Amino acid sequence: MPRRKRNAGSSSDGTEDSDFSTDLEHTDSSESDGASRRSARVTRSSARLSQSSQDSSPVRTLQALGSEEPAYSTRRVTRSQQQPAPVTPKKYPLRQTRSSGSETEQVVDFSDRGHLTGKHERHFSISGCPLYHNLSADECKAPTERQLRYKEKVAELRKKRNSGLSKEQKEKYMEHRQTFGSTREPLLENLTSEYDLDLFRRAQARASEDLEKLRLQGQITEGSNMIKTIAFGRYELDTWYHSPYPEEYARLGRLYMCEFCLKYMKSQTILRRHMAKCVWKHPPGDEIYRKGSISVFEVDGKKNKIYCQNLCLLAKLFLDHKTLYYDVEPFLFYVMTEADNTGCHLIGYFSKEKNSFLNYNVSCILTMPQYMRQGYGKMLIDFSYLLSKVEEKVGSPERPLSDLGLISYRSYWKEVLLRYLHNFQGKEISIKEISQETAVNPVDIVSTLQALQMLKYWKGKHLVLKRQDLIDEWIAKEAKRSSTNKTMDPSCLKWSPPKGT
């Protein structure tokens, strides 16, 4: 049947006709008749229903057998429909060529008989046309002799597989597994046919060769982080740094994690099966803070060791300085979550030593990448100082701070000092009093005042300058922040310091 040619580089929708429909389409490039031409798709049932209808447009169609019959209106009737409904035919972009100064469209004949897959009698798109792929309809329907011979050969090779393992072979395999564990590949002989085992060996060799090429090109180095992305809930996160996951997981390009229990898996199928039976909907431990959808859980590293280790491994993918992975027992973890109808989703966390001789109130702090730049980092910092106030201690984060951590803490200290100066009405101010009321270490207060150029030395005394421009700027930002409700409410904290701290 004549069809308009689409360029080989143009896209095709890949739609296939059903068993009871045909595509009737005709194109006439002549401009002398002055009549409008359009392509029409008519099903056999709609053709019978529309024989009595009148169509004023002079459209000529060709049936599959090549005979000419009167044109039909563009209607499509499915098996479930009783009344025909008008359907607008699809229009596809065609590349035009210039001929003698005028634009004409290329028209190439393609028969609609046959389909590239051999499963259908006709095709609709050019991608399914056997003629376009230099084939015939008969070649698509029946496999070639070479294909038949290869299929018979594979069937014979797979028949040679043993029916099962003998008792001696099973004992040998179990002994090998107990001796070497995961350091050696399990014995694979007699588990499947020699043909399938050979395919597996060749796939292994090809994967190893691809990795070696990447290493020689410098894209992969020995000991480098090969986990590039992690699937975490409804997010796919790009990793920043190396994390010491077990080698069999560290060599994967993508890691799949349960966002509630933080268990890591190798494939999406394993994750799907895990999520179907995972009963966790929030972190383990005690919920010590809740306001709206925001909650904070206190997790003891000694009581929930596996969860805390998984949390540290996850955090190391986005932190550069910290090295805490498995020794989690001396720490408490405060996990912030956001709740919805599916569970409590991890926003971030900070860890804290149970007994810190230097009064560190934060050992490691992280906000998940999907929640960054939304105010949650300052909420975590504010919560750590809120705990220090309840303990009646002066706190400070553990050094060294990461780049992002230093920026966050400097911004928080600045807000604390400007709020204090805004509410202060006296004439003399003491660094020690500021520290006692805000629970911020005096060293951090002095360094922040110096960074803001608010600390001056004049006539043998240190003076704190009350810069009204900075205070006014902070007031404007605070008004915007209060509307987003990204602040910690001390009245929502239900917590007492653990014994022995």
Side-chain angles (χ1 to χ4, degrees):
M1 164 187 312
R3 290 180 58 88
R4 294 187 181 183
K5 178 182 178 181
R6 283 190 291 246
N7 188 271
S10 62
S11 61
S12 137
D13 60 353
T15 310
E16 298 175 358
D17 279 345
S18 57
D19 296 338
F20 54 86
S21 64
T22 60
D23 180 23
L24 303 178
E25 195 173 316
H26 178 71
T27 303
D28 193 347
S29 61
S30 175
E31 299 179 356
S32 60
D33 56 349
S36 60
R37 307 292 184 182
R38 61 177 181 174
S39 60
R41 182 182 183 187
V42 183
T43 60
R44 294 171 182 169
S45 57
S46 64
R48 291 193 297 268
L49 290 173
S50 59
Q51 285 180 0
S52 59
S53 61
Q54 297 180 355
D55 190 355
S56 58
S57 60
V59 179
R60 183 181 62 182
T61 59
L62 296 179
Q63 283 190 337
L65 299 177
S67 60
E68 296 186 1
E69 290 188 2
Y72 306 112
S73 60
T74 307
R75 295 179 181 271
R76 180 182 179 184
V77 178
T78 61
R79 295 176 179 176
S80 61
Q81 292 176 330
Q82 297 179 358
Q83 297 296 331
V87 176
T88 303
K90 294 183 178 179
K91 297 181 180 180
Y92 299 93
L94 301 177
R95 177 174 294 182
Q96 296 178 342
T97 58
R98 294 186 179 274
S99 175
S100 301
S102 61
E103 294 185 354
T104 59
E105 296 182 353
Q106 294 181 350
V107 179
V108 179
D109 292 340
F110 281 109
S111 174
D112 67 340
R113 300 286 299 186
H115 192 276
L116 185 63
T117 62
K119 298 180 181 180
H120 305 278
E121 292 296 329
R122 289 177 170 81
H123 60 272
F124 171 72
S125 62
I126 195 173
S127 61
C129 178
L131 185 60
Y132 175 77
H133 297 282
N134 302 315
L135 297 173
S136 63
D138 295 334
E139 290 176 339
C140 295
K141 284 185 178 180
T144 61
E145 294 183 0
R146 182 181 178 183
Q147 291 174 333
L148 291 174
R149 289 196 302 267
Y150 183 76
K151 184 178 180 180
E152 293 175 357
K153 180 181 177 181
V154 171
E156 292 178 0
L157 291 174
R158 286 178 171 167
K159 287 181 181 179
K160 296 180 181 179
R161 175 192 171 187
N162 294 334
S163 58
L165 297 176
S166 62
K167 184 177 180 180
E168 292 78 7
Q169 289 175 334
K170 291 181 179 179
E171 293 178 354
K172 181 181 177 182
Y173 287 10
M174 291 299 297
E175 182 181 358
H176 180 274
R177 185 174 182 179
Q178 293 175 359
T179 304
F180 299 102
S182 60
T183 61
R184 295 282 188 89
E185 182 185 71
L187 298 178
L188 303 178
E189 287 72 15
N190 297 324
L191 291 179
T192 184
S193 64
E194 293 294 332
Y195 171 77
D196 293 320
L197 183 60
D198 182 60
L199 286 180
F200 176 71
R201 295 297 188 196
R202 280 188 282 177
Q204 280 185 321
R206 183 174 180 180
S208 178
E209 184 179 357
D210 293 341
L211 287 176
E212 189 66 19
K213 289 180 180 179
L214 293 176
R215 188 187 68 81
L216 294 176
Q217 293 173 1
Q219 300 183 17
I220 295 179
T221 58
E222 293 295 334
S224 65
N225 177 27
M226 297 183 64
I227 302 176
K228 301 303 179 184
T229 60
I230 59 172
F232 192 80
R234 60 179 182 271
Y235 299 98
E236 182 175 320
L237 308 176
D238 294 332
T239 61
W240 299 351
Y241 303 104
H242 168 69
S243 184
Y245 281 94
E247 185 178 359
E248 56 182 321
Y249 295 92
R251 290 190 174 276
L252 300 175
R254 176 183 295 180
L255 207 58
Y256 298 85
M257 291 188 185
C258 174
E259 61 176 332
F260 300 116
C261 69
L262 304 184
K263 182 180 179 181
Y264 46 90
M265 287 150 276
K266 294 182 179 180
S267 67
Q268 189 174 7
T269 303
I270 301 176
L271 176 62
R272 192 184 307 113
R273 293 175 180 173
H274 169 82
M275 295 302 296
K277 60 183 179 181
C278 183
V279 297
W280 289 35
K281 295 301 178 184
H282 60 79
D286 302 326
E287 185 180 17
I288 62 175
Y289 179 92
R290 179 191 291 183
K291 183 179 181 181
S293 61
I294 302 298
S295 299
V296 178
F297 294 82
E298 183 183 56
V299 185
D300 193 339
K302 186 176 182 180
K303 296 179 180 179
N304 302 278
K305 187 175 181 179
I306 301 299
Y307 177 86
C308 295
Q309 287 178 350
N310 291 340
L311 182 60
C312 292
L313 289 173
L314 172 63
K316 188 61 182 69
L317 292 172
F318 308 102
L319 295 176
D320 188 22
H321 293 82
K322 302 303 178 181
T323 57
L324 172 65
Y325 312 126
Y326 300 106
D327 187 17
V328 296
E329 296 182 3
F331 293 87
L332 292 171
F333 294 81
Y334 296 90
V335 185
M336 180 178 289
T337 62
E338 183 180 24
D340 59 11
N341 56 355
T342 60
C344 297
H345 305 280
L346 177 65
I347 294 177
Y349 86 100
F350 68 88
S351 59
K352 177 182 178 181
E353 283 186 276
K354 297 177 181 178
N355 296 284
S356 177
F357 296 102
L358 298 176
N359 287 333
Y360 288 141
N361 61 357
V362 168
S363 176
C364 178
I365 187 170
L366 169 74
T367 304
M368 294 298 291
Q370 66 268 29
Y371 290 101
M372 286 184 177
R373 303 183 65 85
Q374 300 179 34
Y376 292 108
K378 288 184 180 178
M379 291 179 67
L380 285 170
I381 296 174
D382 193 17
F383 188 78
S384 67
Y385 280 104
L386 180 59
L387 298 182
S388 297
K389 292 177 183 179
V390 176
E391 293 176 323
E392 298 180 353
K393 293 181 179 180
V394 174
S396 179
E398 182 179 337
R399 267 65 172 185
L401 288 171
S402 63
D403 297 336
L404 294 177
L406 181 60
I407 293 174
S408 299
Y409 268 96
R410 279 283 173 85
S411 178
Y412 174 78
W413 292 332
K414 174 184 174 181
E415 290 185 3
V416 169
L417 290 175
L418 293 177
R419 182 184 297 110
Y420 185 87
L421 293 176
H422 175 65
N423 298 327
F424 186 75
Q425 300 297 333
K427 294 183 179 181
E428 293 184 358
I429 194 169
S430 171
I431 300 296
K432 185 177 181 180
E433 293 178 358
I434 301 176
S435 177
Q436 290 176 351
E437 292 191 23
T438 61
V440 180
N441 192 288
V443 177
D444 300 330
I445 295 175
V446 172
S447 63
T448 305
L449 289 174
Q450 290 176 343
L452 297 175
Q453 297 181 357
M454 297 176 65
L455 190 63
K456 298 294 183 181
Y457 185 77
W458 185 68
K459 291 185 179 181
K461 295 182 180 180
H462 287 91
L463 302 178
V464 176
L465 304 179
K466 187 176 181 180
R467 294 182 55 181
Q468 193 62 35
D469 57 339
L470 295 179
I471 295 177
D472 294 339
E473 182 182 353
W474 166 77
I475 293 175
K477 290 183 178 179
E478 191 71 11
K480 295 181 180 179
R481 185 185 178 190
S482 60
S483 61
T484 60
N485 198 24
K486 296 294 179 61
T487 56
M488 303 302 293
D489 188 356
S491 62
C492 296
L493 176 65
K494 308 298 181 183
W495 178 80
S496 60
K499 295 180 180 180
T501 60

